Amino acid sequence: MKGVVFTEFVDFVETKYGLELVDLLFSNCQLESGGAYTSIATYDVKELLQLVGELSRQTDVSPSKLVVEYGRHLFRFFARTRASMMSHLSSCEELMASVENQIHVDVRKLYPDAELPSIKFERVSDLQSKVHYQSARPLADLAEGLILESVVHFRDPITVVRKDLPPGDGCIAEFVLTRNV
Amino acid sequence: MPDGIYQRMFEREREARKRAEELLESMSLELFAAYTQLKKSSEELFTIFRSVTDGILTFDSTGIIETLNPAVERIFGYANEELVGRNIAMLLPNRELEFPLDDSFWLNRCSEVQPKFSTQGLNAKGKVFEMELSVSRASQAGREFYVWIVRNTQQIRSIERKIAVSQRLEAIGQLAAGMSHEINTPIQYVHENTKFLRDAFEAMESVLSQVEHHLSSDPTEEPSTLSNRFRELFGGNRLAFFRTEVPRAIAETIHGSNRVTSIVQAIKEFAHPGNNEKTALDLNHAIASAITVSGNHWRSECEIETNLDPNLPMTLCHVAEINQVILNLLINACDAIVENPMQASRPGKIVIKTWHEAEFVKLSISDNGMGIKRENLDRIFTMFFTTKAVGKGTGQGLAMVHSIIVEHHGGNIDVVSQPGEGATFIISLPQSL
Ligand code: HEM
Ligand SMILES: Nc1ncnc2c1ncn2[C@@H]1O[C@H](COP(=O)(O)OP(=O)(O)OP(=O)(O)O)[C@@H](O)[C@H]1O
Ligand SMILES: [Mg+2]
């Protein structure tokens, strides 16, 4: 997993819960990297799951909820720092349609070792579309957070309903996006 | 907030910075290596592009020339900057091209089977020349453009002509050793006979001077005594021998010198570069000359039988070229006989025939040499194809023969061969009207 996902996670914890909790997480987790994250390096996704687990213990919030929340944070970060990648897009659906073939393609140019999920966009009707998430990593919650925040970003009147698909390990999920009339 | 937290945070940040610096350093090294490699390979490609002898030129779909190599500059006589940005039509005579190009115009003329076609080019001096063109369409980053590969065939032709001349000289060169022997033999017996005639003349001279002496010394001498003396003088066999041998020696000398003359004549005919005009040729005469010039080449290996049509029409041709054809075929036949492992048990024989048929004059040369393997039949007319040992054949003979007969004379050449038994080459030439 690219370092940016880790540095932003640390930023997320610090903003939301403070520096002491960040320090506590690192002290309790015994991470291989020691928590000295830099955005240009690559780390094992297990460290992220370890940190999330510990954060959940410390805060009594479920890991799932935490990752969704983190996804929102991450989207805001991308929207801020990679604004140029999204500036030509005007809706949540357009964004979802271009992740697979454009945004993540550009990500891979910057980081040839990036481990990216497959994000398939499918328009069902004028008002409805589907985003299909599939990955080798169980990060459907992260995808959910990213999608939810993109709705906010574009101020789209859209309701997102998530459906977990078998085997239910968080590696495959479907999001139904419906426009409210 | 306890100090320890900042201490640990500071440590982590420092570690992270070190890690980041290491990574950046190795990335920039990788980048440098990749850049060097890229530069090297693009320089290599550029060198190839610049050094190939075929012209390479690209233009966009409106005909605007974009890139070209030095060969294009050489072929058309323009400098790079005189062409880039201009329209491709300036390199073609009287051709109004419509842009965007109709693909069928270029591309249909280039297929996998026929990747190039002949057309005319226009150079900077306004001269129209023959060129060979292959056109392909390429696209890069969604942009379409055309690629020309150009070759000036006029230049190639003149090189081919030079090869043709040198091939003929080489064929004659091969024969040179033989020819000097051909000339030496008659010269030698002319020489021997002349020495003999000198001796004969000396002997007769002494008889004649004695006769003269007798006649002038004693006018009173009895005629009978005189005739006795003369009988004595003529009595030895010597004079009788000379009287029969001298005419023979003279005839032989004349024959020998005639032979030298005819050999020299034949060589002259063969070595003559010929002018560009076609002249009427008696093929039978050309065959006789070829047999004469190459005599030393075949005489010890085989016999030549001729079966020549006495009513053979003349044929309009480049005489020197046709001589070269006959000579090449004759030498090939002779080589095939020499190289035949069966030669010991089967005396070598070459049969040359001429006849006429419809508007054609025909010539066949058959030998009973080693023959041609089936898989080689298609290849023998190819330039540089030879089965002969290193230093023996150059594989140019039949290629020249083919181009002379087919391209220069509108004739035809066929070959039939039974491997191990021999080969027959049959030539048809249009007869002169
Ligand atoms: C400008 C917008 C975006 C950028 C720059 C971006 C970039 C990235 C990067 C750098 C990673 C990490 C790759 C790695 O760890 O090797 C990543 C992972 C991911 N991205 Fe994006 N992304 C963007 C938008 C989105 C959106 C809109 C979604 C919505 C579904 C999305 C879904 C994900 C997910 C779920 C992952 C985690 C890896 C996984 O699940 O296998 N991304 N992205
Ligand atoms: N009469 C023949 N019998 C058998 N093979 C022949 C005969 N004529 C030609 N060939 C075959 O065809 C080949 C090509 O002949 P060609 O005259 O082109 O070249 P070459 O005789 O090998 O060399 P060069 O004529 O240039 O000295 C020969 O090497 C030989 O294998
Ligand atoms: Mg030959």
Side-chain angles (χ1 to χ4, degrees):
Chain A
M1 202 74 165
K2 276 330 284 184
V4 66
V5 181
F6 293 83
T7 53
E8 271 319 295
F9 181 75
V10 175
D11 193 59
F12 162 70
V13 177
E14 190 186 325
T15 324
K16 187 137 189 177
Y17 302 101
L19 207 51
E20 283 100 337
L21 192 58
V22 173
D23 187 56
L24 191 66
L25 293 188
F26 285 139
S27 311
N28 294 353
C29 280
Q30 304 296 319
L31 300 164
E32 202 179 316
S33 68
Y37 295 126
T38 160
S39 65
I40 60 171
T42 302
Y43 307 94
D44 194 329
V45 70
K46 264 190 248 148
E47 293 200 2
L48 185 68
L49 302 178
Q50 245 177 302
L51 287 167
V52 170
E54 188 58 27
L55 181 62
S56 166
R57 263 190 293 286
Q58 298 295 334
T59 57
D60 253 352
V61 181
S62 76
S64 192
K65 254 195 163 149
L66 288 168
V67 175
V68 172
E69 209 46 48
Y70 169 49
R72 285 172 168 275
H73 173 94
L74 187 61
F75 185 87
R76 287 192 295 273
F77 170 76
F78 283 151
R80 211 168 54 238
T81 58
R82 309 285 156 89
S84 64
M85 282 188 176
M86 289 196 274
S87 56
H88 61 291
L89 302 170
S90 57
S91 73
C92 174
E93 286 100 332
E94 276 183 34
L95 173 64
M96 292 307 141
S98 60
V99 172
E100 177 94 347
N101 296 323
Q102 196 193 320
I103 297 177
H104 279 179
V105 172
D106 286 339
V107 168
R108 193 175 295 289
K109 288 180 201 159
L110 286 172
Y111 308 112
D113 58 345
E115 299 172 312
L116 294 158
S118 132
I119 307 283
K120 293 255 178 338
F121 177 77
E122 180 196 345
R123 191 166 273 289
V124 183
S125 70
D126 274 358
L127 299 178
Q128 206 167 64
S129 51
K130 282 182 186 169
V131 177
H132 188 269
Y133 166 85
Q134 182 159 5
S135 170
R137 294 155 296 281
L139 293 174
D141 294 330
L142 189 73
E144 184 179 337
L146 287 161
I147 294 171
L148 288 175
E149 194 59 24
S150 80
V151 171
V152 174
H153 176 85
F154 289 104
R155 294 181 228 278
D156 277 333
I158 288 176
T159 315
V160 178
V161 176
R162 167 172 166 181
K163 227 193 307 171
D164 280 316
L165 298 177
D169 53 2
C171 290
I172 306 186
E174 190 179 85
F175 301 90
V176 179
L177 279 54
T178 313
R179 286 202 168 248
N180 314 323
V181 269
Chain B
M1 213 179 288
D3 273 359
I5 291 183
Y6 288 109
Q7 183 61 37
R8 285 192 291 278
M9 198 179 94
F10 175 70
E11 283 302 324
R12 277 199 302 275
E13 289 304 322
R14 191 158 67 184
E15 276 307 304
R17 199 192 72 208
K18 270 198 214 150
R19 177 90 187 98
E21 283 164 356
E22 274 168 28
L23 276 170
L24 280 176
E25 212 163 280
S26 79
M27 278 183 212
S28 81
L29 272 177
E30 270 172 41
L31 214 60
F32 178 74
Y35 168 75
T36 315
Q37 180 59 41
L38 204 66
K39 199 168 145 210
K40 184 167 162 275
S41 61
S42 79
E43 274 168 4
E44 266 169 23
L45 275 177
F46 190 62
T47 310
I48 293 171
F49 175 73
R50 289 191 57 85
S51 57
V52 288
T53 51
D54 286 354
I56 302 175
L57 177 149
T58 69
F59 55 93
D60 70 11
S61 55
T62 66
I64 299 302
I65 299 173
E66 295 177 333
T67 36
L68 51 111
N69 68 349
V72 171
E73 299 179 295
R74 274 197 302 279
I75 292 172
F76 291 96
Y78 287 106
N80 186 73
E81 55 275 16
E82 291 176 289
L83 289 173
V84 172
R86 305 275 312 270
N87 199 292
I88 191 78
M90 72 189 275
L91 301 178
L92 301 163
N94 336 312
R95 185 168 289 136
E96 297 295 321
L97 288 181
E98 291 208 3
F99 293 99
L101 284 178
D102 173 13
D103 274 358
S104 62
F105 178 72
W106 300 110
L107 300 178
N108 288 359
R109 296 169 75 175
C110 292
S111 63
E112 285 199 6
V113 207
Q114 183 80 40
K116 51 196 179 193
F117 61 93
S118 294
T119 184
Q120 292 185 321
L122 182 67
N123 71 14
K125 291 196 182 121
K127 200 171 159 249
V128 177
F129 62 94
E130 290 295 317
M131 63 180 185
E132 202 173 76
L133 203 57
S134 99
V135 186
S136 48
R137 194 175 42 197
S139 78
Q140 193 191 26
R143 205 180 61 84
E144 298 243 307
F145 60 101
Y146 293 81
V147 184
W148 261 18
I149 296 184
V150 202
R151 195 176 270 194
N152 182 335
T153 35
Q154 218 140 310
Q155 277 168 7
I156 295 172
R157 290 255 170 73
S158 84
I159 292 169
E160 273 172 2
R161 262 199 298 276
K162 281 181 194 142
I163 293 181
V165 170
S166 76
Q167 209 276 338
R168 184 171 68 242
L169 293 178
E170 193 180 290
I172 291 163
Q174 274 179 11
L175 293 173
M179 288 190 292
S180 70
H181 186 262
E182 280 300 281
I183 295 175
N184 260 343
T185 316
I187 289 276
Q188 226 155 12
Y189 64 72
V190 167
H191 185 70
E192 291 305 319
N193 280 322
T194 313
K195 274 201 319 211
F196 172 75
L197 287 173
R198 183 193 60 198
D199 294 349
F201 180 75
E202 273 170 12
M204 286 162 134
E205 169 64 20
S206 89
V207 171
L208 287 177
S209 62
Q210 283 183 55
V211 170
E212 195 179 33
H213 175 77
H214 286 309
L215 286 177
S216 61
S217 59
D218 188 359
T220 61
E221 200 149 10
E222 275 293 308
S224 63
T225 335
L226 205 58
S227 56
N228 274 343
R229 289 207 185 181
F230 283 169
R231 215 165 283 127
E232 226 171 83
L233 268 177
F234 286 86
N237 290 335
R238 247 167 92 73
L239 215 51
F241 171 71
F242 285 142
R243 291 181 77 181
T244 53
E245 282 307 299
V246 165
R248 187 203 52 78
I250 290 171
E252 244 178 38
T253 304
I254 290 172
H255 179 255
S257 69
N258 278 344
R259 180 131 186 80
V260 171
T261 310
S262 73
I263 290 169
V264 169
Q265 180 60 33
I267 293 171
K268 241 167 80 186
E269 280 174 28
F270 266 85
H272 193 274
N275 47 17
N276 267 339
E277 305 273 298
K278 286 188 180 172
T279 31
L281 170 76
D282 172 6
L283 203 58
N284 290 345
H285 175 76
I287 291 167
S289 296
I291 295 175
T292 305
V293 209
S294 59
N296 194 253
H297 209 84
W298 52 265
R299 193 168 300 117
S300 56
E301 311 298 347
C302 58
E303 67 170 292
I304 296 185
E305 185 185 302
T306 54
N307 187 346
L308 307 180
D309 180 351
N311 302 316
L312 197 68
M314 301 286 262
T315 172
L316 200 62
C317 62
H318 297 293
V319 176
E321 290 190 346
I322 297 301
N323 282 337
Q324 187 187 358
V325 165
I326 302 170
L327 199 57
N328 268 305
L329 295 179
L330 208 55
I331 293 176
N332 278 351
C334 200
D335 287 348
I337 287 168
V338 175
E339 277 174 40
N340 185 7
M342 298 281 295
Q343 204 211 354
S345 64
R346 187 174 68 188
K349 184 166 182 182
I350 298 174
V351 179
I352 305 181
K353 279 189 206 159
T354 55
W355 69 101
H356 62 286
E357 216 176 273
E359 270 87 66
F360 288 93
V361 172
K362 300 237 176 186
L363 156 73
S364 76
I365 298 189
S366 312
D367 63 71
N368 61 352
M370 60 172 181
I372 303 166
K373 287 198 191 130
R374 200 139 295 144
E375 66 263 29
N376 287 344
L377 270 179
D378 289 344
R379 303 154 67 193
I380 53 173
F381 294 107
T382 314
M383 196 59 136
F384 305 125
F385 173 79
T386 179
T387 57
K388 293 173 191 172
V390 180
K392 276 216 74 187
T394 65
Q396 296 176 60
L398 287 179
M400 279 332 298
V401 166
H402 189 272
S403 103
I404 288 172
I405 295 298
V406 178
E407 281 158 37
H408 302 186
H409 291 89
N412 200 15
I413 177 160
D414 264 331
V415 54
V416 279
S417 174
Q418 189 67 35
E421 298 295 322
T424 300
F425 286 81
I426 304 157
I427 285 176
S428 317
L429 286 169
Q431 68 181 54
S432 66
L433 301 171

